[in-house]
Amino acid sequence: MDIFDIVKDKFKDISDKGTGAPYYWHLIRCAIRLGSNATKKEILVALLHDILEDTDTVEEDLRKLNIPEDVIKSIKLCSNIYYKDITHKEWMRVINVSNDVMGIKAKAVDLSDNFSVERLKGLVIYLSENEKPKISKKLKKEDQIFKRVKRFINKRSYGLSVRFFEDLEIISKSNENILKDLNLSSFGSYE
């Protein structure tokens, strides 16, 4: 079984909240964002950066798959389950000063993909589903509902994009050389 089979298997029942596509597509896009100079270990970290956080996989499972210890260490750096006792921004600062090149790159491409226009639009629509019933109770006309939902989505989108941008900015400080070859821009357009 190769790494792509492992990723597909571990994430087979998880859909991307942003796009509805299989979640492992996000992981593959993260690996692609590393660029053509990425090492095998960097690609492993990008492909597996969510495995401890979003599946029932534990560190020992990764060892049984012969994943190198330094790769496991980088995956742990990218997994919020190890940083529950600090704020999100403090976790980003930990990544920034870690000197863990593989972990820094993986988190940067992860944030970049989370920040991508296509994924963010879909995620905001997904998150707003809970708001639609509240909105429709308050407003009668369909066009008013649409306008209200659109304002909500734009507001939520702005907040999410600011957070992802700020996270990427924290990680980038003093790591510009590490990140220079990564594709951190959106694969799509803003239209």
Side-chain angles (χ1 to χ4, degrees), residues 35-157:
S36 59
N37 293 326
T39 66
K40 182 178 179 180
K41 286 183 176 184
E42 290 171 348
I43 293 169
L44 279 173
V45 177
L47 289 171
L48 299 173
H49 75 269
D50 282 335
I51 200 162
L52 298 175
E53 189 175 308
D54 294 337
T55 73
D56 61 358
T57 306
V58 294
E59 289 177 56
E60 192 53 39
D61 296 329
L62 297 177
R63 288 183 184 97
K64 289 177 185 173
L65 294 169
N66 295 318
I67 304 296
E69 283 300 319
D70 56 342
V71 170
I72 294 172
K73 178 180 169 245
S74 297
I75 293 168
K76 288 173 60 178
L77 181 66
C78 295
S79 302
N80 68 11
I81 60 173
Y82 295 95
Y83 299 94
K84 297 229 181 252
D85 57 336
I86 61 175
T87 68
H88 182 82
K89 292 241 182 283
E90 289 171 330
W91 173 37
M92 293 301 109
R93 289 184 191 105
V94 167
I95 294 170
N96 177 49
V97 299
S98 69
N99 293 322
D100 183 332
V101 173
M102 293 185 297
I104 291 167
K105 285 184 175 184
K107 196 62 188 171
V109 295
D110 175 37
L111 290 168
S112 172
D113 195 63
N114 288 341
F115 183 60
S116 71
V117 175
E118 310 79 23
R119 196 158 189 249
L120 195 57
K121 279 183 183 176
L123 181 59
V124 170
I125 290 167
Y126 172 85
L127 292 172
S128 69
E129 289 298 317
N130 293 331
E131 296 296 317
K132 287 180 184 176
K134 294 176 193 173
I135 291 166
S136 62
K137 285 179 187 174
K138 293 178 184 175
L139 302 170
K140 300 282 185 208
K141 293 182 182 175
E142 226 174 276
D143 61 328
Q144 288 176 322
I145 294 169
F146 176 74
K147 286 177 187 174
R148 182 84 182 262
V149 170
K150 189 174 178 185
R151 275 196 305 270
F152 171 81
I153 289 171
N154 287 337
K155 185 176 177 183
R156 182 69 67 93
S157 177

Side-chain angles (χ1 to χ4, degrees), residues 19-37:
T19 64
Y23 187 79
Y24 67 85
W25 289 9
H26 160 66
L27 304 171
I28 292 170
R29 286 192 309 270
C30 287
I32 291 168
R33 287 178 182 279
L34 289 172
S36 59
N37 293 326

